[in-house]
Amino acid sequence: MIAIVSGLPRSGTSLMMQMLQAGGHPILCDDQRAADEHNPRGYLEYDKVRRLRSDNTWLAEADGKAVKVVSLLLYHLPAGFEYRILFVRRDLDEVMRSQERMLATRGTADGAEMRVHFERHLQSVKEWIGRQPTMHIHEVNYTDLLDQAETSARAVAAFLGRELDIDRMTAAVDRNLYRQRKA
Amino acid sequence: MFEPKVKIERSLYDSLKRAASAAGYSSVDEFIIHILEKTVAEIETAQSEEEVRKRLQGLGYVE
């Protein structure tokens, strides 16, 4: 079984990975993308994931571990594994503000259009996951991770069927890093 | 209320009518509207996912 932490970039996937790591769940990541001002505690990403569309031969390395896969790349996960997907959801306006801070220039679509594109994409990928027999999804609300960390951590551990250190998972949540909260 | 109409060939209409009946639709209109809605949604989703791909590429999450 592979635990997948997914969602849109800047939706809280790094926090979810940090919680899993703190709780004792093995994770698959490398040091290709270092911590920065946008994510001071690190991204916990695996560089090969970015090429998942053209190369999934590495995926066996993730068996028994948790790996971050951005939502758009979920479509490219091959059959042959069982996936438990922790799909982190966050207010789209917050996600977009946070992303735009990271981008040197704005995206190709304007804010209102981009929001519609994200909504359609999230709906589409959720429906698609629902049709995949080897994929199971547990939606995690980013605000709940911050406001109800222990409850969220317990739900995550139950979904993954793992004995995780709930106290350490809860302690991994640093509310001071939640800077893009909706006004 | 503005109700646009679209002209199609009789032979196509007859095919749609037979297909609508076979698929259990109550009318040809209902069948055509369903097909069009589904097709538009597929095209819009494909467009959106392309825009999302560009955004994610800009952020360094996909190649």
Side-chain angles (χ1 to χ4, degrees), chain A:
Chain A
M1 189 272 285
I2 301 175
I4 303 287
V5 173
S6 191
L8 293 173
R10 312 306 293 166
S11 61
T13 50
S14 297
L15 173 60
M16 189 73 258
M17 290 292 286
Q18 288 154 11
M19 289 177 73
L20 291 175
Q21 186 178 45
H25 197 299
I27 63 167
L28 181 63
C29 68
D30 55 33
D31 56 3
Q32 289 290 307
R33 192 174 193 183
D36 57 23
E37 73 273 23
H38 302 293
N39 209 339
R41 295 172 70 177
Y43 290 87
L44 297 180
E45 292 173 356
Y46 194 50
D47 193 54
K48 290 178 182 175
V49 173
R50 297 192 308 127
R51 295 185 291 277
L52 183 59
R53 190 175 176 182
S54 56
D55 177 16
N56 60 28
T57 56
W58 54 270
L59 209 67
E61 297 173 46
D63 203 10
K65 299 175 185 167
V67 62
K68 193 200 285 191
V69 177
V70 72
S71 56
L72 193 69
L73 294 176
L74 291 175
Y75 297 122
H76 304 290
L77 288 171
F81 295 96
E82 181 196 350
Y83 302 101
R84 300 217 177 170
I85 302 170
L86 293 163
F87 202 101
V88 188
R89 299 292 296 260
R90 182 180 182 185
D91 180 276
L92 268 181
D93 292 329
E94 294 179 12
V95 167
M96 289 173 61
R97 266 203 303 276
S98 185
Q99 288 182 359
E100 283 162 9
R101 283 184 64 208
M102 289 180 75
L103 290 165
T105 56
R106 283 179 67 94
T108 50
D110 70 26
E113 276 181 21
M114 201 64 230
R115 195 179 205 290
V116 171
H117 294 317
F118 277 140
E119 284 171 348
R120 282 194 196 128
H121 162 63
L122 290 172
Q123 181 66 27
S124 173
V125 76
K126 190 176 167 185
E127 289 173 2
W128 180 83
I129 290 169
R131 294 194 297 272
Q132 308 310 307
T134 60
M135 291 187 178
H136 310 278
I137 185 170
H138 174 71
E139 289 196 45
V140 180
N141 185 294
Y142 182 60
T143 307
D144 289 345
L145 282 183
L146 297 169
D147 295 342
Q148 303 170 48
E150 184 180 338
T151 305
S152 299
R154 287 190 191 287
V156 165
F159 171 70
L160 295 176
R162 288 256 188 182
E163 290 284 333
L164 298 176
D165 188 328
I166 302 299
D167 289 341
R168 290 177 68 92
M169 288 178 78
T170 304
V173 178
D174 181 357
R175 293 182 56 85
N176 292 327
L177 295 179
Y178 186 30
R179 293 166 301 194
Q180 296 295 324
R181 192 160 210 165
K182 198 175 182 180

Side-chain angles (χ1 to χ4, degrees), chain B residues 27-39:
Chain B
S27 69
V28 181
D29 284 10
E30 184 190 342
F31 180 52
I32 291 173
I33 288 167
H34 177 77
I35 292 171
L36 293 177
E37 285 176 343
K38 192 176 166 196
T39 303

